Amino acid sequence: MSWDVLLLRLPDDFTSVQQIPDAHTLAPIGSRRDVLAAITQAAPDTDLTDPTWGELLGPTWSVELNIGAEDPVDSVMLHIRGSGDDVLTPVFRLAGALRCKVLDCAAGDLITPLETSGWHGFQQYRDSVVPPRH
């Protein structure tokens, strides 16, 4: 089970997904080559052996980066597992490097580096439905 967030390019003045018009077309993040280079620069420990599906490991968490095979890249989905607020640092570092906003897919809201309620809510939900491993 993962907390999923989507990195996507939106105009700077959009602060919520409700502001996105139905007819709005997302601007691509960039070419595959440029996206992979930005990921490598922002999070050098990211394993991009498979350039369509990266992995970043932290002390108590992991992030899978679903980059896809399309060129240009329209968005990057992050599948976050584990615990610890320090996982938000690379999430927002990646978003900054890609000039993207971060959409909490569970809540349907754009989030900021100071917004941790979605991550905390996911962990509480996960812990209530998934039995602990022994």
Side-chain angles (χ1 to χ4, degrees):
M1 175 178 275
S2 64
W3 181 50
D4 298 333
V5 298
L6 185 65
L7 306 182
L8 68 165
R9 184 76 53 86
L10 291 172
D12 289 340
D13 58 337
F14 284 23
T15 58
S16 78
V17 291
Q18 289 77 19
Q19 292 176 291
I20 303 171
D22 290 338
H24 181 77
T25 302
L26 291 178
I29 295 173
S31 70
R32 288 188 52 69
R33 189 185 70 122
D34 290 346
V35 167
L36 294 173
I39 290 170
T40 299
Q41 183 176 11
D45 294 335
T46 304
D47 179 354
L48 291 170
T49 303
D50 177 351
T52 66
W53 195 262
E55 184 177 45
L56 179 61
L57 301 175
T60 59
W61 49 262
S62 67
V63 178
E64 292 177 320
L65 294 83
N66 184 348
I67 302 159
E70 299 296 318
D71 194 0
V73 176
D74 290 329
S75 62
V76 176
M77 178 70 77
L78 304 179
H79 305 283
I80 303 167
R81 294 177 178 82
S83 61
D85 287 351
D86 58 321
V87 71
L88 297 172
T89 299
V91 167
F92 285 98
R93 191 177 307 128
L94 288 165
L98 296 169
R99 298 186 336 268
C100 287
K101 298 205 179 208
V102 181
L103 172 66
D104 176 343
C105 295
D109 295 324
L110 296 174
I111 59 174
T112 66
L114 301 177
E115 177 54 51
T116 59
S117 64
W119 174 230
H120 292 166
F122 162 76
Q123 292 173 87
Q124 289 172 347
Y125 172 75
R126 177 204 58 211
D127 295 346
S128 73
V129 298
V130 177
R133 292 182 180 183
H134 296 295

